[in-house]
Amino acid sequence: MMSHPHATAPPGAPTGKRVALAQPRGFCAGVRRAIGIVERTLDLYGAPVYVRKEIVHNHYIVSELQKRGARFVDSEDEVPEGAVCVFSAHGVSPAVRARADRRHLQVVDATCPLVAKVHQEALRFARDGRIILLVGHAGHEEVEGVLGEAPERTIVVETAEDVSRLDLADDTPAAYLTQTTLSFDETTRVVEALHRRFTDIVGPHDDDICYASRNRQNAIKELAGHNDLVLVVGSRNSSNSLRMVEVARGHGCAAHLVPDVTHLDERWLEGVSRIGISSGASAPEILVGELVDRLAALGYGDVEVQQGALEDVVFAMPGRLADPVTGRVPRTLLADEVR
């Protein structure tokens, strides 16, 4: 592990207590791109800019963008006709796009490219005449968007136990897709159950679970094996953050979700000398820093960063947001400053 300059224990603090920071943690490329899209759209069009749903599932990010002029709405029907509307990173169904078009909205699409890939796979499997078994959490925005590509041919499957309850013949031509932010281990169990059940089933060319979710879950497994407690910084509606907590618990370590430092329960620290910290793919580093500082004040001043996968993925922003003179998309503030 590498030392970390974040915090030091106060004078007289107990020794032997330490914090290990997961690597990688925090923003993925899709989240950074989505936040940057809202910022750049505000620069180009001015406030207000309407955003359908939360741009990413993090309360801090939403609050900061609201201060800058973003207005978050639950439905495109709430956006004034002809106004600028950003679609969130989680993607939307064709029906949403059609309603936005009828309202003449100026749409800027912040759908994560990895989510967009799942949409394209759904269309391909539907054209092939297959029943699509979408592994994911019913009601999640990403699942709702993919489901909308071929609703008459798609069934949402949440667990391996659900597979045996499907009212389909075993020789039904089927295909499976997965939500990008699932637990890799749990999803593997569901996919294996699907292959055992159906004699004619195909899947995507590449795994749908995004690189960031997998990397963060692998880092959490490492934390769980060497610490007494794992804390995951992330909002309660963040699927990938919740999965990280589940992964830590599944590997035998106590773990809790911490939306921000005010949610730290000091009772969790009783008898704990080693704490592992990570953050979901939509959680900014500033929230991790505040948690580390609070733990330092409680005696956990020895901070190290574990070695982990290097992430250098960058997703291009939409061309319509490029500078009209240079043709480039300028750097954004919030997406960069909280890395």
Side-chain angles (χ1 to χ4, degrees):
M1 289 193 176
M2 300 179 294
S3 62
H4 192 271
H6 227 305
T8 56
T15 59
K17 294 183 177 181
R18 67 166 178 80
V19 167
L21 289 175
Q23 184 66 28
R25 63 183 183 276
F27 282 179
C28 63
V31 163
R32 189 171 286 116
R33 173 180 181 268
I35 297 169
I37 283 174
V38 177
E39 292 186 292
R40 179 62 178 154
T41 303
L42 283 164
D43 289 342
L44 286 177
Y45 295 95
V49 162
Y50 293 85
V51 183
R52 185 185 183 277
K53 305 292 187 180
E54 293 186 354
I55 186 65
V56 297
H57 285 157
N58 185 268
H59 64 286
Y60 176 88
I61 296 299
V62 169
S63 175
E64 289 297 302
L65 290 173
Q66 283 176 325
K67 294 174 186 176
R68 301 178 188 198
R71 294 187 183 177
F72 293 87
V73 296
D74 286 330
S75 168
E76 61 284 356
D77 293 332
E78 299 174 48
V79 181
E81 190 160 339
V84 178
C85 179
V86 179
F87 289 159
S88 81
H90 309 100
V92 299
S93 68
V96 169
R97 295 183 186 277
R99 286 193 293 269
D101 187 56
R102 287 195 296 270
R103 296 181 60 77
H104 306 291
L105 302 184
Q106 301 179 63
V107 170
V108 182
D109 192 354
T111 301
C112 174
L114 298 180
V115 175
K117 165 182 168 285
V118 182
H119 281 251
Q120 293 304 309
E121 291 166 344
L123 288 171
R124 176 167 61 88
F125 289 139
R127 284 195 298 265
D128 291 344
R130 293 183 176 273
I131 293 296
I132 299 168
L133 303 171
L134 177 56
V135 183
H137 299 289
H140 188 277
E141 289 162 36
E142 181 184 329
V143 169
E144 290 296 302
V146 176
L147 179 63
E149 294 290 353
E152 72 288 347
R153 304 194 64 81
T154 305
I155 301 171
V156 177
V157 179
E158 297 205 30
T159 67
E161 290 70 31
D162 289 342
V163 174
S164 61
R165 293 191 285 265
L166 291 169
D167 187 18
L168 296 171
D170 292 352
D171 60 354
T172 299
Y176 71 86
L177 295 170
T178 78
Q179 185 179 333
T180 63
T181 55
L182 298 177
S183 159
F184 177 74
D185 293 340
E186 178 60 28
T187 301
T188 298
R189 285 190 283 271
V190 178
V191 171
E192 288 174 347
L194 288 170
H195 278 288
R196 287 194 299 269
R197 167 77 192 273
F198 295 100
T199 59
D200 181 10
I201 188 167
V202 296
H205 292 310
D206 298 308
D207 198 306
D208 286 334
I209 296 177
C210 86
Y211 76 94
S213 293
R214 188 176 306 201
N215 286 346
R216 281 150 188 73
Q217 289 172 27
N218 286 338
I220 282 288
K221 293 175 185 177
E222 182 71 16
L223 284 184
H226 297 91
N227 292 279
D228 307 312
L229 171 69
V230 168
L231 301 176
V232 177
V233 178
S235 291
R236 290 193 175 96
N237 61 340
S238 168
S239 176
N240 77 90
S241 300
L242 292 169
R243 302 293 82 75
M244 290 164 69
V245 173
E246 292 173 359
V247 167
R249 291 173 177 170
H251 281 71
C253 188
H256 298 283
L257 186 73
V258 184
D260 58 52
V261 69
T262 66
H263 292 80
L264 175 66
D265 188 337
E266 294 182 21
R267 291 174 295 183
W268 300 339
L269 310 181
E270 294 175 6
V272 169
S273 61
R274 299 173 301 172
I275 301 174
I277 296 178
S278 189
S279 54
S282 53
E285 186 66 11
I286 189 172
L287 299 184
V288 175
E290 290 172 353
L291 178 60
V292 170
D293 290 344
R294 177 59 184 152
L295 289 171
L298 294 171
Y300 298 85
D302 182 5
V303 181
E304 296 181 312
V305 181
Q306 72 176 21
Q307 301 286 353
L310 175 65
E311 293 182 348
D312 55 5
V313 178
V314 176
F315 292 139
M317 297 240 278
R320 67 181 295 180
L321 300 183
D323 186 285
V325 176
T326 66
R328 299 177 180 176
V329 177
R331 290 173 64 86
T332 53
L333 297 175
L334 185 59
D336 289 324
E337 70 189 15
V338 292
R339 290 188 186 200

